[in-house]
Amino acid sequence: MASTFTVVRATVIDAVPDAIFGYLADFHEWAKWTPWEDPELEMTRTYSGPPSGPGAEYSWFVAENGATGFMRMVRTNTPHDGEVHIEFRKPTAVVLDLTYELTAQDAQTDVAWTLVGKHSLMTRAAAATGMLDKIAGKQLDQGLEQLKSVVENGV
């Protein structure tokens, strides 16, 4: 088995890449659509570095369950693609790299996410049963659907 795992998901959004890109390149916009935030939990968010693009950083703390994490915008290529480094620190340590790609199709955009992480004992077991793709894929699908809703409905 490979030392890393990859999960890929995509959707089509009824908007041009320029209308979508800001939601991906600016962590201040992520609370509107990200699958990794529970709106019912009170989160403390900290932003550092530039407001968006490479070097922008975002960390969070959830008092209710002690969850902490960190993200850094590694690369952006307006309005085509970008890369985000993600570290879920507590309750379980997981390090991931998320890339996104926006491909214009007339007035629509194909949005693809690729999530890559290093295998742990837990992820190897989950991958062997197909649960890793199912669980991580569900989160990526949820994020894409929420991003689609925000962009298309102007929320």
Side-chain angles (χ1 to χ4, degrees):
M1 181 178 279
S3 63
T4 60
F5 62 87
T6 302
V7 180
V8 180
R9 292 293 189 272
T11 194
V12 176
I13 297 179
D14 290 329
V16 296
D18 284 323
I20 302 166
F21 192 79
Y23 289 102
L24 298 168
D26 183 346
F27 288 133
H28 297 89
E29 298 293 325
W30 279 50
K32 296 176 182 174
W33 62 267
T34 182
W36 296 301
E37 287 197 22
D38 184 340
E40 295 183 16
L41 296 177
E42 187 175 325
M43 294 182 69
T44 301
R45 297 173 185 87
T46 305
Y47 302 94
S48 58
S52 66
E57 296 180 346
Y58 163 58
S59 59
W60 65 89
F61 171 72
V62 180
E64 185 173 329
N65 61 18
T68 63
F70 169 82
M71 294 188 197
R72 178 184 311 108
M73 194 68 58
V74 175
R75 174 181 55 79
T76 57
N77 179 22
T78 308
H80 306 288
D81 55 48
E83 180 180 352
V84 179
H85 177 77
I86 305 170
E87 296 180 19
F88 293 97
R89 295 179 173 159
K90 291 182 182 177
T92 304
V94 179
V95 176
L96 304 165
D97 290 304
L98 172 72
T99 57
Y100 55 87
E101 185 174 334
L102 289 78
T103 305
Q105 300 289 339
D106 297 319
Q108 296 179 317
T109 302
D110 291 330
V111 180
W113 282 13
T114 302
L115 190 66
V116 177
K118 291 183 181 177
H119 267 304
S120 66
L121 185 58
M122 183 177 73
T123 61
R124 284 185 191 281
T129 63
M131 290 304 294
L132 178 63
D133 187 75
K134 186 175 182 177
I135 293 168
K138 181 178 178 181
Q139 290 180 332
L140 293 181
D141 286 337
Q142 177 187 355
L144 286 168
E145 284 304 310
Q146 290 172 183
L147 177 63
K148 178 181 176 76
S149 178
V150 166
V151 171
E152 291 180 359
N153 299 314
V155 176

